[in-house]
Amino acid sequence: AQTVTQSQPEMSVQEAETVTLSCTYDTSESNYYLFWYKQPPSRQMILVIRQEAYKQQNATENRFSVNFQKAAKSFSLKISDSQLGDTAMYFCAFMKPDNDMRFGAGTRLTVKP
Amino acid sequence: DTAVSQTPKYLVTQMGNDKSIKCEQNLGHDTMYWYKQDSKKFLKIMFSYNNKELIINETVPNRFSPKSPDKAHLNLHINSLELGDSAVYFCASSHKAGNQPQHFGDGTRLSIL
């Protein structure tokens, strides 16, 4: 079974600074997909970024980028130039090709003005 | 415009009652899911359907019964509600291809009195 671990229950960052959220996973699969989802207080689940395991290049979406280390089974999220609207729960997710997706426990990020 | 819509958004009911949550997606996806998010924000998959066929059926009490009348709808019926069923239930959808992210509805907060 796949497990996803987010070791930081809570983090905070000053506005305009950079923060990195950690995620590790355990799997015996060779082909899989990784995602970061954001859940603001409004409760919506919003896709932030995704990474295919077969791609060596780290994914980037504007201020959000990942550091994907396949051998270490690590998938961290870096948020640059943090904004107040980035305050949310962030979930790391692992998905097998059959669409079976498993989430980590989440990291609550607070951006301080 | 809503891509994945769930109704109702809030559901407050008594222990022992039977209730249903409806989900519809207009994204043309062929796979739909139900997730449960508990009070600690932990997200766990319950079911997934692909073209009306049950694909993932996690260890969920058989009081929970999903129904997919067509590939755009996946409803969740819960019999004999218990206190432990209080949670937020999310519907999601995606294309079958494994590299596609899942799009989530806004969730239904179920509170059992």
Side-chain angles (χ1 to χ4, degrees):
Chain A
Q2 284 64 232
T3 57
V4 181
T5 302
Q6 293 179 249
S7 58
Q8 306 148 315
E10 294 190 23
M11 291 193 73
S12 64
V13 63
Q14 290 295 133
E15 198 175 4
E17 297 293 309
T18 295
V19 64
T20 298
L21 309 184
S22 302
C23 174
T24 59
Y25 56 93
D26 185 26
T27 185
S28 57
E29 305 274 341
S30 57
N31 189 24
Y32 52 86
Y33 310 93
L34 298 163
F35 303 89
W36 279 97
Y37 279 87
K38 166 185 176 180
Q39 187 178 39
S42 64
R43 199 172 77 196
Q44 293 174 299
M45 289 290 290
I46 302 165
L47 175 69
V48 175
I49 199 165
R50 65 176 172 177
Q51 174 84 42
E52 288 89 346
Y54 62 84
K55 288 187 178 178
Q56 291 186 330
Q57 187 172 3
N58 289 324
T60 300
E61 287 287 342
N62 301 314
R63 298 183 295 107
F64 299 88
S65 61
V66 298
N67 183 2
F68 173 48
Q69 301 289 328
K70 190 171 183 178
K73 295 181 183 174
S74 171
F75 182 61
S76 61
L77 175 70
K78 185 170 87 170
I79 306 174
S80 304
D81 185 26
S82 296
Q83 301 176 359
L84 296 178
D86 295 335
T87 292
M89 284 286 290
Y90 286 81
F91 293 96
C92 178
F94 171 102
M95 189 172 79
K96 296 191 296 181
D98 64 359
N99 295 333
D100 185 350
M101 187 155 72
R102 306 289 161 151
F103 287 88
T107 296
R108 186 180 300 278
L109 176 67
T110 302
V111 180
K112 298 181 178 179
Chain B
D1 275 327
T2 305
V4 182
S5 61
Q6 299 178 224
T7 54
K9 291 194 186 307
Y10 299 92
L11 187 50
V12 181
T13 189
Q14 302 272 1
M15 210 164 49
N17 284 349
D18 303 339
K19 290 293 178 186
S20 293
I21 306 172
K22 294 187 176 182
C23 179
E24 175 182 4
Q25 55 93 5
N26 63 4
L27 295 167
H29 291 161
D30 43 25
T31 305
M32 295 184 72
Y33 314 79
W34 278 109
Y35 289 86
K36 178 180 180 180
Q37 186 173 41
D38 63 23
S39 58
K40 295 184 178 179
K41 300 292 188 183
F42 188 67
L43 264 163
K44 191 173 189 307
I45 191 165
M46 299 172 71
F47 305 102
S48 83
Y49 270 74
N50 177 258
N51 274 327
K52 304 193 294 175
E53 180 185 352
L54 182 64
I55 302 298
I56 296 172
N57 185 0
E58 285 294 294
T59 306
V60 174
N62 57 16
R63 298 181 295 103
F64 290 79
S65 54
K67 293 281 192 307
S68 182
D70 56 59
K71 72 175 190 177
H73 296 83
L74 181 62
N75 304 322
L76 184 64
H77 188 76
I78 316 169
N79 288 329
S80 304
L81 281 158
E82 300 178 357
L83 291 176
D85 297 333
S86 293
V88 178
Y89 293 85
F90 283 95
C91 176
S93 72
S94 73
H95 287 296
K96 186 180 177 185
N99 65 347
Q100 298 302 308
Q102 295 178 16
H103 297 256
F104 285 78
D106 290 344
T108 296
R109 181 177 294 281
L110 174 62
S111 301
I112 310 301
L113 303 177

